[in-house]
Amino acid sequence: MKIASLLSCFSLVVVLMVACGSGPTLTRATGFAYEIVVVMDQKSWEAPAGQAIKSELVSDVPGLPQPEPSLKITYVQPHDFNGLLRYVRNILIVKIDPALYTKVSLGYENDVWAQGQVVLSLKTPSEEAILEYLRVNENTLVNFFVKEEMKRAIAQLQEEYSSVVMDNLRKDFSVALNAPANFIYYRDTTNFFWASNNASTGRMDLIVYTFPYTDSNTFTAEYLVAKRDSVLKINLPGGHPGSYMQTETRGGIDYKPITLNDKYCGVTRGLWRMEGDMMGGPFVSIARLDEKNNRVVVAEGFVYAPETNKRNYMRRIEASLYTLRLPGEFELPEAERK
């Protein structure tokens, strides 16, 4: 059983129920972001159904230069699922019983044993039904937990964010965005804004730029990558003479439409490289139509972290991008009114 690695981070956690005037208060959920406990009968876990679940949960994060698993799994048998393991932030419980279930169903609950926790239950009559469900509903499990972690990151960014980024974007672009609080280094020019944590390890950068909206062909991977390259060539020169940032297209570009604030949003993922230099890494950008000002607003995050895992850096900056609000979508936060 692979329990020891997860329990090691809980050594200082007090898992007591605290009494208060209105009743018991749940302890905070434990564990690191993108960690998950899977509860399943060992025989089924080692069978094709269990391996299919594992394969999906540890599938590669899209858009990274090296393979990195989407989630880190701690597996436990049902009779060992107790104590500290019940307080982990992400839990998947798989129940197989042909007497109780006629088809596969998914359901989730929040704060079952700890505050800030999500427990997803997969109920099925058979292992074969699991395999069929995962085949038809590709990436449903991993997408669920990644979305939950994104929601947690966004909630944290709403409480603590860079006032430097917020103030400059509101003043010069009439948009709002909650960047990590350590983004204090910035440069603001006409229609282009850059900010960074300027870290020696795990450097994260954020850029925002705008351009006039002409037609619907704007929201395609080809157009947005071409625009990206033209904008970054001018605004993000490298450390060597003649060097500048460009999109690395040889590994492919992923473009996907999503809905953000009930409006269309194009998400582009890929790799960047510094033309004339050896630097490179992953990026993710979102493009939205500002109808009020007839312009496209692009917010992008990219990471430079050679020889280091990049998943958590990229997902943190991606969560920041999803806080982008256009004119008419935001009110002045309480923190900014003080």
Side-chain angles (χ1 to χ4, degrees):
M1 290 175 287
K2 302 177 180 178
I3 302 176
S5 63
L6 186 59
L7 290 179
S8 64
C9 72
F10 298 155
S11 58
L12 299 180
V13 177
V14 180
V15 289
L16 298 176
M17 303 301 291
V18 180
C20 65
S22 60
T25 300
L26 291 175
T27 188
R28 293 292 303 175
T30 56
F32 296 113
Y34 301 102
E35 286 190 346
I36 180 174
V37 167
V38 178
V39 185
M40 188 175 183
D41 176 76
Q42 184 173 8
K43 182 180 178 180
S44 298
W45 176 249
E46 295 173 351
Q51 293 308 295
I53 291 174
K54 178 181 179 180
S55 179
E56 177 177 319
L57 294 177
V58 300
S59 57
D60 291 343
V61 178
L64 297 185
Q66 295 89 25
E68 292 186 42
S70 292
L71 298 167
K72 180 181 178 181
I73 297 175
T74 294
Y75 163 71
V76 61
Q77 297 183 68
H79 59 76
D80 289 323
F81 180 56
N82 50 46
L84 295 174
L85 290 171
R86 290 179 180 261
Y87 297 89
V88 178
R89 61 201 284 154
N90 302 309
I91 297 174
L92 170 63
I93 301 177
V94 181
K95 299 179 179 180
I96 304 175
D97 192 334
L100 293 177
Y101 314 118
T102 59
K103 63 179 181 179
V104 175
S105 65
L106 283 179
Y108 73 92
E109 294 182 83
N110 293 309
D111 305 336
V112 178
W113 294 286
Q115 184 181 1
Q117 176 188 70
V118 62
V119 178
L120 181 65
S121 297
L122 190 160
K123 301 174 182 178
T124 175
S126 66
E127 295 177 8
E128 292 75 18
I130 292 177
L131 291 171
E132 178 63 14
Y133 181 86
L134 296 181
R135 185 188 68 80
V136 175
N137 302 277
E138 187 176 6
N139 295 327
T140 295
L141 302 180
V142 67
N143 288 344
F144 174 84
F145 287 106
V146 170
K147 184 177 180 180
E148 288 298 311
E149 288 289 7
M150 283 286 179
K151 287 163 59 177
R152 293 180 180 121
I154 290 170
Q156 183 180 20
L157 286 166
Q158 290 172 343
E159 295 294 326
E160 185 178 2
Y161 55 86
S162 169
S163 59
V164 169
V165 173
M166 181 68 76
D167 293 346
N168 280 276
L169 289 181
R170 288 179 66 102
K171 177 172 63 74
D172 295 335
F173 289 78
S174 297
V175 302
L177 189 146
N178 298 62
N182 60 351
F183 276 51
I184 58 175
Y185 304 89
Y186 76 99
R187 184 174 71 249
D188 191 357
T189 59
T190 304
N191 293 328
F192 187 87
F193 176 82
W194 163 87
S196 175
N197 65 352
N198 203 31
S200 57
T201 301
R203 171 167 171 161
M204 297 184 291
D205 291 67
L206 169 76
I207 58 175
V208 176
Y209 58 91
T210 67
F211 56 90
Y213 176 70
T214 55
D215 58 63
S216 59
N217 290 329
T218 296
F219 290 92
T220 63
E222 294 75 17
Y223 187 99
L224 290 171
V225 168
K227 176 62 70 173
R228 177 183 192 272
D229 285 345
S230 65
V231 170
L232 298 191
K233 183 176 183 178
I234 297 171
N235 291 282
L236 285 183
H240 297 292
S243 62
Y244 53 88
M245 182 178 285
Q246 291 286 273
T247 306
E248 177 57 81
T249 58
R250 288 176 294 182
I253 299 295
D254 178 70
Y255 178 81
K256 182 180 299 183
I258 65 169
T259 299
L260 186 62
N261 295 337
D262 298 322
K263 299 287 182 63
Y264 182 95
C265 173
V267 181
T268 306
R269 303 177 192 274
L271 302 178
W272 62 272
R273 60 181 173 83
M274 195 64 73
E275 183 72 26
D277 204 342
M278 298 296 291
M279 297 175 66
F283 77 88
V284 58
S285 74
I286 67 171
R288 299 195 56 204
L289 174 60
D290 176 7
E291 297 178 3
K292 181 177 180 180
N293 296 292
N294 196 43
R295 62 178 180 168
V296 176
V297 179
V298 176
E300 174 180 321
F302 56 90
V303 167
Y304 180 64
E307 301 179 2
T308 303
N309 288 338
K310 303 165 183 62
R311 179 194 66 191
N312 286 12
Y313 296 126
M314 281 301 298
R315 284 181 169 166
R316 180 160 175 76
I317 195 66
E318 183 175 351
S320 178
L321 301 184
Y322 294 146
T323 69
L324 176 68
R325 283 96 72 205
L326 303 181
E329 293 180 349
F330 58 89
E331 298 293 334
L332 191 62
E334 179 65 28
E336 295 182 56
R337 291 200 291 263
K338 297 179 180 179

